[in-house]
Amino acid sequence: MDKFKIIIFLTGLFQLMNCQKMEKESIAPSYNVQISHTDNKHLITPVEDSLITLEGVGAHLPYGSSSGSWGNSGKGFTEQSGTPIGADIKYYAESEGVFYHLKANFPRDKVKEFVQRAYAVDESESSNEPMKEFINIHNEPDYHKKYNAFSKSYYGMSDLIFGFAPKGMVVVWLGFGPTQIELGQYQAEKINNESEIKRLKEKYQKMYRVDANLFEQLAKENYLPDESPEKWINYRKKYNWAPQISSENKNFKLFSINTDYYNGERDILLRPSVINPSVKEKAIPREINFFWETGKDEAFEGRIFINWEKANEEFENDEKNFKMNIKIAPDNNSLEVFLNTQPFKADSVRIYKSEKKFKESYK
């Protein structure tokens, strides 16, 4: 009898452990899918689409045409689910009068790793642990309760974003709230088969209620000859660098750096990593936004706007690994920018008083 009980106990324990393991491994992310473009003149419209998922769950693009700006459609949609490992999309590029077919396989191991991450976007009000760049959800399944009880400090995967550029160039990003990371660049192929073009054209007209005459009229009005994806290809160039923000004011405290890059990526650095960020391979920043204090009622927000062409020239001529040194004047009224020790001319620099509060803010 005792032996029988032991066997039942061990069998039940094994089943419980196996179920827990399967539950952890089978949790599929839910996310919003965005279709963005370089600008309104390069609008594209999907005609047929399917997102390929690791779990075999059906997922799709939102209905309608692309919108917004590079890497941000500005629109929400019904959440999709399933770990995305590829895409099969046929779409119409209005400015070229061409149908394209994108057949993309995403790097499976990379995606599986990223969907297990949650990136820090703000200080946690429910935990006193130092903020990390990201945490592994698999290792901390209760992270919402631990870190996000009062406000969202860590974001899991929230968005799958497609960016469509001329000549079939497509970039895909993964979004984690405000944080955005490029997954890869892919090339859609122009569809040349006449019967397939005819089929897709008829389906497009039916789906979007565009009659044949209007379709041809819009194709002529919106046609842009000699368009090129070169600018957006160049935006993907990366360099090994890091921001470094300092002040000679002895009471200076830096709290966060939010960076928006030309390649569509975005990241957030918080204390303690914001104090001395590591050099990493990153694209040229479009805007750097940061918060600091030098005393009670002395809280500030700084913004630096950067021109890609000017920055690219200087980044290329600089050392392999360098710091973008942002030196704030002791009175908080001005700042200077350097690449290591060489002066760097930003397009625009702005400083504002800030009301934002942090855990280590002056009381």
Side-chain angles (χ1 to χ4, degrees):
M1 187 67 178
D2 289 342
K3 185 177 180 181
F4 180 71
K5 287 181 179 178
I6 291 171
I7 292 172
I8 290 178
F9 172 78
L10 291 175
T11 302
L13 182 62
F14 174 80
Q15 288 176 337
L16 177 63
M17 291 172 65
N18 195 45
C19 285
Q20 288 176 338
K21 181 182 178 184
M22 287 176 66
E23 183 182 357
K24 283 186 178 181
E25 290 180 347
S26 64
I27 293 174
S30 295
Y31 46 87
N32 181 47
V33 180
Q34 300 185 41
I35 47 175
S36 70
H37 50 217
T38 57
D39 45 44
N40 289 337
K41 66 181 182 180
H42 293 135
L43 175 146
I44 68 93
T45 306
V47 182
E48 295 176 348
D49 70 86
S50 176
L51 299 179
I52 303 158
T53 65
L54 187 64
E55 298 82 2
V57 178
H60 297 276
L61 302 184
Y63 174 81
S65 302
S66 57
S67 60
S69 56
W70 191 235
N72 180 18
S73 74
K75 290 184 179 179
F77 184 61
T78 304
E79 278 195 340
Q80 305 295 295
S81 63
T83 306
I85 56 172
D88 190 346
I89 303 167
K90 291 180 180 178
Y91 66 91
Y92 178 59
E94 193 171 69
S95 64
E96 300 174 55
V98 169
F99 286 93
Y100 282 101
H101 184 193
L102 173 70
K103 183 71 173 175
N105 293 314
F106 304 155
R108 184 175 298 207
D109 290 342
K110 188 175 180 180
V111 174
K112 287 168 68 176
E113 179 183 348
F114 274 111
V115 298
Q116 289 295 331
R117 292 182 179 183
Y119 279 82
V121 299
D122 203 356
E123 292 182 334
S124 174
E125 296 180 24
S126 53
S127 174
N128 290 320
E129 289 186 10
M131 299 300 294
K132 303 172 185 176
E133 179 187 359
F134 63 86
I135 56 173
N136 188 299
I137 298 171
H138 184 81
N139 296 334
E140 298 196 54
D142 296 326
Y143 80 97
H144 277 294
K145 186 186 297 184
K146 183 175 181 180
Y147 300 105
N148 297 352
F150 304 116
S151 61
K152 207 153 189 179
S153 298
Y154 284 96
Y155 266 85
M157 181 183 160
S158 56
D159 295 87
L160 176 67
I161 306 106
F162 291 82
F164 294 87
K167 303 301 181 187
M169 175 188 173
V170 182
V171 173
V172 181
W173 299 268
L174 298 179
F176 303 81
T179 297
Q180 193 155 301
I181 298 169
E182 183 190 298
L183 188 59
Q185 178 188 339
Y186 303 92
Q187 183 61 45
E189 299 300 324
K190 179 181 175 181
I191 297 173
N192 294 311
N193 183 284
E194 290 298 329
S195 62
E196 178 69 351
I197 293 171
K198 182 176 183 294
R199 184 185 72 81
L200 291 171
K201 187 182 292 186
E202 289 174 351
K203 187 170 184 178
Y204 171 93
Q205 292 169 0
K206 185 177 180 181
M207 283 177 66
Y208 298 103
R209 298 179 181 179
V210 178
D211 64 48
N213 290 333
L214 180 58
F215 181 89
E216 297 302 332
Q217 180 186 332
L218 292 173
K220 290 178 182 178
E221 289 177 0
N222 296 311
Y223 181 67
L224 296 170
D226 306 320
E227 290 297 284
S228 169
E230 182 181 5
K231 178 161 70 170
W232 295 277
I233 291 172
N234 287 338
Y235 283 169
R236 298 183 65 248
K237 291 171 71 172
K238 292 189 174 184
Y239 299 89
N240 292 311
W241 67 280
Q244 184 75 59
I245 302 176
S246 62
S247 171
E248 292 182 2
N249 188 313
K250 64 180 182 179
N251 296 319
F252 175 76
K253 286 184 182 180
L254 179 65
F255 293 101
S256 74
I257 303 175
N258 307 342
T259 307
D260 185 348
Y261 301 89
Y262 273 95
N263 72 337
E265 293 187 302
R266 296 190 299 271
D267 64 29
I268 296 174
L269 290 173
L270 301 167
R271 291 174 76 89
S273 59
V274 72
I275 297 169
N276 188 26
S278 302
V279 170
K280 293 183 178 180
E281 188 181 53
K282 297 184 290 188
I284 290 173
R286 183 191 300 274
E287 179 183 343
I288 303 176
N289 187 29
F290 45 97
F291 294 85
W292 78 93
E293 295 179 14
T294 53
K296 189 175 183 296
D297 299 324
E298 294 180 13
F300 301 90
E301 175 185 356
R303 289 187 182 180
I304 297 174
F305 299 86
I306 294 168
N307 176 277
W308 186 88
E309 285 77 12
K310 293 178 184 175
N312 184 60
E313 185 177 347
E314 295 197 41
F315 277 36
E316 282 185 334
N317 293 330
D318 218 297
E319 299 174 18
K320 186 176 180 182
N321 300 306
F322 61 91
K323 295 287 182 80
M324 177 178 279
N325 288 308
I326 300 167
K327 297 186 178 182
I328 302 168
D331 62 5
N332 299 310
N333 288 325
S334 63
L335 60 83
E336 295 179 290
V337 186
F338 301 84
L339 295 186
N340 283 342
T341 58
Q342 296 301 310
F344 176 83
K345 179 70 174 175
D347 247 22
S348 176
V349 172
R350 301 172 192 175
I351 296 175
Y352 311 90
K353 289 284 286 183
S354 173
E355 300 296 327
K356 190 172 174 64
K357 297 298 179 184
F358 298 88
K359 282 186 175 180
E360 295 181 53
S361 288
Y362 285 98
K363 303 295 192 287

